[in-house]
Amino acid sequence: MAEIVIENLYKSFDTKDGTVEALKNVNLSIESGDIYGIIGMSGAGKSTLVRCINFLEVPTKGRVLINGKSLGDYTSRELRKQREDIGMIFQHFNLLMQKNVLENVCFPLYIQGKSKKDAKKRAKELLDIVGLGDRTGAFPAQLSGGQKQRVAIARALASDPKILLCDEATSALDPQTTSSILALLKDINERFNITIVIITHQMSVVREICSHVAIVKGGEVAEQGTVEEIFTHP
Ligand code: ADP
Ligand code: ADP
């Protein structure tokens, strides 16, 4: 079975103006080690889908299975552990602005209960991997967008995730920096066999790095397949 399986997933939100159907009958499977793109315009339902994969939203109908297990199969304690297996990076990096680069990466390691010494050692290794080993003392405000995203990637890797969810992670970056971040993600995918799910509105990102893609429109998967199949389609 695929690492991520989404079956007949529906998610609706009740608002004062009525019910919003954010996701309608979504079916996807993402194999371990894949780089999978989920592409769609703003409002298509991408963030809701990510939140369902991360077990932050309870499906209205259907289910999400990560390695064969769905939300209901976990106790709340196991769920916390499960969420550690899924790293996330975001468009606006979400770094702690008052902490330096090293401390930003140490943060999840402290939460895991690592000692200060062990956390710093591991954080330094992770920053070397993302090419920022020489900026450990810098503060986020002193870094470029690409460098901030590298710190966020190092932080996401701190919990040794099996899956990395990238939510519009290159949308705030120029094309050249985008390419360098995508190259880093590819490197991480190959070195650590981490499954990467890329949520984006940018076709170029999917073409550059993904092997499979799903096109989401109005809460539904309009098309899915290999990037070759989808983009050579008449
Ligand atoms: P995307 O990430 O593709 O921009 P979203 O998943 O954020 O799309 O949103 C899909 C639709 O669901 C939108 O119409 C949005 O307004 C709606 N939506 C998302 N989250 C909520 C929520 N918590 N409450 C009400 N509506 C929501
Ligand atoms: P994105 O950057 O993907 O478009 P948004 O900024 O629209 O995401 O949404 C940020 C958060 O707000 C998400 O968690 C989403 O579920 C929630 N959200 C989106 N639309 C609504 C809405 N209409 N009402 C309440 N919450 C919403």
Side-chain angles (χ1 to χ4, degrees), residues 13 15 20 42-43 46-48 51 57 91-92 167-168 199:
F13 298 101
T15 71
V20 179
S42 181
K46 303 183 298 296
S47 295
T48 305
R51 292 170 61 79
E57 296 280 8
Q91 178 170 5
H92 298 297
D167 191 356
E168 297 285 0
I199 311 322

